[in-house]
Amino acid sequence: MCGRFAITLPNDAMAQLFAARPANDLPDVPNRNVRPTDQIHTVISDATDRRLAPMRWGFVPVWYKALNDGPLLINARAETIAEKPAFSEACRARRCLIPISGFYEWTTGADGKKQPWYIAAQDDAPLALAGIWQDWTRGEASVRSCAIVTTAANEALKHIHHRMPVIVDAADWPLWLGEAGKGAATLMRPATDGLLKFEARAPE
C-alpha cells in the first residue's frame, strides 16, 4: 500500500535526473504530503522521447462514466496487475515512473494510537516508483491518471506494513518505460532490504 508520499526535488532537477523533457504545467514542489487525486510528477516515454509530465494520482478505467464512478484506484497489485481488466492493458503498454523523496505508512500501537512512518532511501536520494497510466475522456472532460504498482513488503518493512511500492533501480528505468524491449514484469519485486530507512514522522 502507498497512500501518501513526499516529493522535494525541484522540477528542473527531476527532468535532469531522468533525462526527460519537462512539461510546462508540472505540480509545485516541494510537497511533503502528496495525497490521492493530486496532480503528481510522472516520467513517460515513447521509446524516443522521455517526458516529465503531470498526472492525476488515482487511475480512472476507460469504462468509468465519471471520475467517481467506482473505487479510487491509487495502487495496482503486482501479483494481479496483468489479469485485472482495469490494469492489464496499461501494464503492457502504458508504464511510467513516479519520482518521490519518500513515502508514508502507519502502524497501530497496543493503545490503538496510529504511528506515522516516513520511509526513504538510506542516502536520501530520490526514488522512482513503478506506475501505470491511462487516458480517460467523457465529452469535453479529459484526464490522464496513474496508479502506483505495489508488491509484498521486504523483510525490513514488514514490521510497518505488509505491502510496499515497487521501486525501480536507475539501471532498469529503460526496461520499465518500454525503451529496452520486454521483461518489465521481472522488475515487480520488493526492494532490497538495505535500500530504505524508517523515521517516525507524520506528513507535513
Side-chain angles (χ1 to χ4, degrees):
M1 177 66 180
C2 183
R4 296 283 180 89
F5 66 83
I7 178 67
T8 60
L9 194 66
N11 288 332
D12 57 350
M14 264 187 273
Q16 183 176 4
L17 176 65
F18 290 95
R21 180 167 51 89
N24 295 324
D25 54 347
L26 292 169
D28 292 335
V29 285
N31 185 348
R32 294 178 174 83
N33 190 9
V34 181
R35 304 165 180 260
T37 74
D38 283 353
Q39 290 287 303
I40 66 173
H41 299 78
T42 67
V43 179
I44 58 176
S45 176
D46 62 5
T48 61
D49 183 26
R50 274 192 198 176
R51 300 180 300 285
L52 180 66
M55 291 191 198
R56 175 188 188 264
W57 183 21
F59 191 95
V60 184
V62 293
W63 60 80
Y64 275 22
K65 296 179 181 178
L67 294 180
N68 60 353
D69 195 34
L72 182 60
L73 305 175
I74 63 171
N75 295 152
R77 293 175 66 93
E79 297 87 344
T80 58
I81 193 172
E83 305 161 9
K84 294 290 186 181
F87 302 137
S88 58
E89 185 180 352
C91 181
R92 289 192 300 271
R94 292 186 301 278
R95 298 187 297 272
C96 62
L97 295 169
I98 298 172
I100 70 167
S101 300
F103 63 98
Y104 299 94
E105 295 291 359
W106 282 259
T107 55
T108 303
D111 58 1
K113 292 183 179 179
K114 290 188 177 295
Q115 171 64 59
W117 295 89
Y118 181 66
I119 303 159
Q122 289 280 1
D123 59 359
D124 291 315
L127 300 171
L129 306 188
I132 55 173
W133 63 273
Q134 174 72 57
D135 282 329
W136 175 89
T137 303
R138 279 295 181 277
E140 296 183 356
S142 180
V143 173
R144 180 164 284 185
S145 64
C146 63
I148 294 170
V149 181
T150 67
T151 187
N154 60 20
E155 289 297 324
L157 185 58
K158 279 182 178 178
H159 70 289
I160 294 177
H161 200 275
H162 66 287
R163 305 287 299 174
M164 70 182 303
V166 171
I167 299 169
V168 183
D169 293 337
D172 294 322
W173 293 348
L175 184 57
W176 184 256
L177 291 173
E179 300 168 345
K182 298 181 179 180
T186 63
L187 304 178
M188 293 191 288
R189 59 182 184 264
T192 56
D193 283 337
L195 176 66
L196 303 173
K197 63 181 179 180
F198 315 95
E199 180 184 350
R201 173 154 62 93
E204 299 176 15

